[in-house]
Amino acid sequence: MAKTPEEEHPIKAVGWAARDSSGVLSPFKFSRRATGEKDVRFRVLYCGICHSDLHMVKNEWGTSIYPLVPGHEIVGEVTELGSRVNKVKVGDKVGVGCVVGACHSCENCNNDLEVYCPKMILSYGACYYDGTVTYGGYSDTMVADERYILRFPENMPLDAAAPLLCAGITVYSPLKYYGLAEPGKHIGVVGLGGLGHVGVKFAKAFGAKVTVISTSSSKKDEALEHLGADSFLLSSNQEQLEASLGTFDGILDTVSAMHSILPLIGLLKSHGKLVMLGAPEKPLELPVFPLLMGRKMVAGSATGGMKEIQEMIDFAAKHNITADIEVIPIDYVNKAMERLAKGDVRYRFVIDIGNSLASSN
């Protein structure tokens, strides 16, 4: 007879889970594995809500396994170490991002790119090495192999740092990989949401000229005055688009909704790069002729390997980069999901797990 989630492992855990594609989350009892010799266990203090959590609880990508405990922007304080762990100590501030396992022997793993491993294991909704389902950070405790543990400086606020584990690395990695993390580059950021707002911050820290590209004129003051972007482009304004043709070295497209990428390709200089970071539910139309006429590139990027995520955290700490957040209790999570679907958040919800989960169960 199959064991229940509460019986699978020896360490009792509580969280909030979706039971079906309605996406409604409610209290859930399950279990975590015992701390192995290379494992780090930590008390979860905060967990960010990523837009992918919304897709997953509703099974909009067709891959969800229920019951599903979301959350891959997980931060907290170390409570227990395996006998062979040397990366952190009890009491350290740590986090776990999108990945908790990989094969560790393929070309990607050997190049510190675990996120691109064909056998990569996601932090929630995936099958772990032992055959059990992984559960994410909308929960009171977390355990992971030390390879997948990230360290945070003592002076970094964990609530505002949590979204860096997904949103932060998702914009940092392509800026670095595609040669856009250089002073003087002109970078466009499409969409001023959870990804976009930290994209502006990282690009500015690299010394780039940054233009926010948005369908909403109401984002202009926020982009220029609060986030420090150099300019603002209203994508529905044909005159502004035409004036900016061929002026961007690279564009980060963070939009998860269906949209046309043809106007964005037109904004690129020759050899420019349009990097897709959002994940629309349906395929986008890719016009090839404009690519040929400027040796332009439409590319994609996921998050990053563990080495690069740690590099990103250290860079963010040095440049005082954190996410702009709205901290919520766990019992507000369903309302937060509704608001996220409408884009009604500035710019990332973070659940105060440490102060609200126990009382909710």
Side-chain angles (χ1 to χ4, degrees):
M1 183 180 294
K3 293 182 178 180
T4 67
E6 196 173 1
E7 299 169 330
E8 284 180 331
H9 300 293
I11 306 301
K12 301 303 180 186
V14 292
W16 277 49
R19 271 53 171 212
D20 53 46
S21 60
S22 69
V24 176
L25 294 127
S26 58
F28 175 63
K29 293 181 179 180
F30 64 107
S31 54
R32 299 282 192 192
R33 69 177 184 270
T35 308
E37 61 181 12
K38 294 288 287 181
D39 283 339
V40 175
R41 183 177 306 281
F42 64 93
R43 180 168 67 98
V44 179
L45 297 177
Y46 299 98
C47 186
I49 298 181
C50 177
H51 204 280
S52 60
D53 296 346
L54 180 59
H55 287 297
M56 288 294 289
V57 296
K58 293 179 175 293
N59 197 26
E60 291 175 344
W61 292 331
T63 60
S64 300
I65 301 171
Y66 297 104
L68 185 142
V69 177
H72 57 211
E73 297 175 347
I74 316 162
V75 296
E77 185 176 287
V78 176
T79 56
E80 188 178 12
L81 302 174
S83 59
R84 295 178 57 199
V85 171
N86 52 35
K87 188 174 184 177
V88 295
K89 63 183 184 301
V90 171
D92 282 356
K93 292 181 177 180
V94 298
V96 166
C98 302
V99 179
V100 293
C103 78
H104 303 157
S105 60
C106 69
E107 183 178 359
N108 285 316
C109 286
N110 289 335
N111 286 305
D112 298 307
L113 292 170
E114 298 90 346
V115 70
Y116 298 116
C117 173
K119 297 181 179 180
M120 174 265 294
I121 301 172
L122 293 171
S123 300
Y124 70 85
C127 183
Y128 199 62
Y129 303 115
D130 61 5
T132 62
V133 173
T134 57
Y135 295 114
Y138 296 16
S139 59
D140 62 340
T141 183
M142 186 71 188
V143 61
D145 184 285
E146 72 168 340
R147 179 169 180 153
Y148 299 94
I149 294 290
L150 288 311
R151 303 179 307 277
F152 287 90
E154 275 298 320
N155 62 348
M156 205 169 193
L158 281 186
D159 53 358
L164 298 181
L165 293 174
C166 177
I169 187 59
T170 299
V171 295
Y172 180 92
S173 186
L175 286 170
K176 295 278 287 188
Y177 181 78
Y178 291 107
L180 303 174
E182 299 175 6
K185 294 288 188 182
H186 186 191
I187 307 301
V189 176
V190 185
L192 201 59
L195 290 178
H197 89 286
V198 289
V200 173
K201 294 182 181 186
F202 276 111
K204 287 297 295 180
F206 284 128
K209 174 187 175 184
V210 180
T211 297
V212 169
I213 303 169
S214 175
T215 58
S216 174
S217 59
S218 64
K219 298 287 184 73
K220 182 176 181 178
D221 288 346
E222 182 75 7
L224 300 178
E225 296 176 15
H226 176 66
L227 295 172
D230 298 283
S231 55
F232 181 88
L233 175 57
L234 186 63
S235 56
S236 59
N237 187 312
Q238 195 61 36
E239 188 175 312
Q240 289 185 24
L241 281 176
E242 290 178 4
S244 299
L245 291 174
T247 63
F248 289 80
D249 295 287
I251 297 174
L252 302 182
D253 186 341
T254 72
V255 177
S256 292
M258 295 296 295
H259 62 291
S260 173
I261 62 173
L262 178 59
L264 301 176
I265 294 172
L267 295 175
L268 295 172
K269 297 178 181 177
S270 294
H271 323 296
K273 304 172 181 74
L274 171 61
V275 187
M276 308 301 295
L277 303 179
E281 297 170 41
K282 298 178 181 178
L284 301 180
E285 184 176 340
L286 176 63
V288 173
F289 192 72
L291 302 180
L292 305 179
M293 299 311 295
R295 192 188 270 173
K296 299 176 182 180
M297 176 189 297
V298 176
S301 185
T303 56
M306 304 313 300
K307 182 178 179 181
E308 188 176 40
I309 300 174
Q310 188 63 60
E311 174 190 302
M312 178 274 304
I313 292 172
D314 295 341
F315 180 90
K318 180 180 178 181
H319 293 272
N320 296 313
I321 296 173
T322 54
D324 289 15
I325 62 171
E326 181 178 334
V327 178
I328 62 167
I330 188 69
D331 57 11
Y332 188 78
V333 68
N334 288 306
K335 181 63 176 180
M337 289 289 188
E338 292 176 9
R339 288 178 53 193
L340 179 59
K342 300 173 184 176
D344 178 24
V345 56
R346 183 178 166 270
Y347 286 99
R348 201 71 152 186
F349 286 116
V350 173
I351 308 169
D352 184 352
I353 299 290
N355 289 316
S356 68
L357 181 58
S359 62
S360 297
N361 286 274

